Amino acid sequence: MFHTPEARVSRISIPSRAGIRPALRHLASRLVVPLLALASGSAPAAALEGGAAGRSGDALAQATVGLGTVTAPEDGLHLSRCTGVLIAPDLILTAAHCVNGDPLGSLVVFFRGSEPVKPVRTARVIARYSPDPGQMTSNVVDVDLNSLSLDLAVLRLAEPVRDRVPVPLATDPSRVPRSLRVAGTGVSGRVVGRLRTAILTPVAASSTGLTIARVNGGRVCFGDSGGPVVGQDRRGVFVWGVASAVLSRQAPCGSLVVIAPAAQVFTSSGMR
């Protein structure tokens, strides 16, 4: 079976839509851990398992962000948690199901190494994409591509980031790298989780770049949806896609991650 690795949502006590933007600014100005309400009660740690702690000199780690998105379903205001990546000074790429419903705004936190740091920033959704799953080019993994969660979203920061280097998007979805890396932030109890990275080995790919990869010595969990999956060539690190779902018999974690291809966003959004 498959499931999306992020789908935990908690209720927050912001009284009305009219007050949401001032409330977001208030939270962002005060909190180094803006996702304090992301897990209710005494929820256990739920972040990328295995791998290694983020390193401050790593291009992937310095561009990865933790996201908290406020939405307004019928039963009140909720805050979801996910991961994303800086792809331009004012743009964040993540999974679209991280910002489902009626998003009122997002809180964005960067990391120094594996730890979240100030300032907390705000962002809004500007585009969503549903990539074409294509057709699987091998039968190593028996799965119905049309049943997979495969989505992408772009958020615009309220102000451009000047002290971080964005990671460019892949431009050719047909050339799947032999090795990939994923970053995830998750959460731990009531606070932002520590950033971790792990190596992935692609095991199957479709004609349009959808990739299924195995986490080497680890698993992807809640809070890691939208996490950047990167490759590297002679020009440096590039975003191959984002963690969009996991194939697993037991939630909330899985060792097979479904990657929504970034090259389709690149073409669709005209970010050339």
Side-chain angles (χ1 to χ4, degrees):
M1 64 179 293
F2 73 92
H3 61 89
T4 54
E6 116 300 341
R8 284 182 91 162
V9 179
S10 298
R11 185 169 298 179
I12 57 176
S13 57
I14 298 176
S16 69
R17 178 182 290 269
I20 187 67
R21 288 179 180 171
L24 281 171
R25 288 196 295 269
H26 178 68
L27 283 173
S29 66
R30 295 187 60 187
L31 298 178
V32 64
V33 283
L35 314 186
L36 284 175
L38 289 182
S40 59
S42 57
L48 196 155
E49 296 180 351
R55 296 180 292 104
S56 57
D58 178 20
L60 170 60
Q62 63 87 34
T64 298
V65 302
L67 293 174
T69 299
V70 182
T71 57
E74 293 182 359
D75 59 343
L77 294 175
H78 290 177
L79 188 63
S80 65
R81 69 174 186 274
C82 276
T83 304
V85 61
L86 188 71
I87 58 171
D90 63 342
L91 298 178
I92 300 292
L93 179 68
T94 188
H97 60 265
C98 292
V99 290
N100 272 346
D102 185 12
L104 303 177
S106 296
L107 298 174
V108 178
V109 59
F110 285 88
F111 293 77
R112 179 175 298 114
S114 63
E115 301 296 325
V117 295
K118 292 182 179 180
V120 177
R121 306 170 190 271
T122 59
R124 61 183 178 85
V125 181
I126 61 170
R128 293 183 179 87
Y129 304 91
S130 297
D132 177 6
Q135 296 182 345
M136 195 62 71
T137 56
S138 73
N139 59 1
V140 173
V141 178
D142 183 15
V143 62
D144 177 9
L145 296 186
N146 293 320
S147 70
L148 295 178
S149 171
L150 190 68
D151 51 30
L152 298 148
V154 177
L155 285 66
R156 188 180 300 278
L157 291 162
E159 297 181 359
V161 175
R162 304 298 184 189
D163 61 345
R164 301 277 171 158
V165 179
V167 180
L169 301 180
T171 60
D172 183 358
S174 67
R175 301 181 62 182
V176 182
R178 292 184 178 180
S179 179
L180 296 163
R181 284 198 302 149
V182 62
T185 61
V187 299
S188 182
R190 290 180 174 270
V191 299
V192 174
R194 291 179 172 84
L195 187 153
R196 300 189 67 80
T197 66
I199 296 174
L200 306 177
T201 299
V203 295
S206 78
S207 56
T208 58
L210 179 155
T211 305
I212 298 174
R214 185 178 303 279
V215 185
N216 294 347
R219 299 192 300 169
V220 169
C221 301
F222 282 140
D224 297 327
S225 255
V229 176
V230 302
Q232 187 165 359
D233 58 19
R234 55 185 176 80
R235 292 171 294 183
V237 172
F238 58 88
V239 178
W240 177 251
V242 303
S244 189
V246 293
L247 304 178
S248 175
R249 294 186 180 278
Q250 183 176 3
C253 300
S255 59
L256 286 176
V257 58
V258 180
I259 304 162
Q264 289 195 38
V265 169
F266 183 90
T267 301
S268 300
S269 63
M271 284 190 239
R272 293 182 185 275

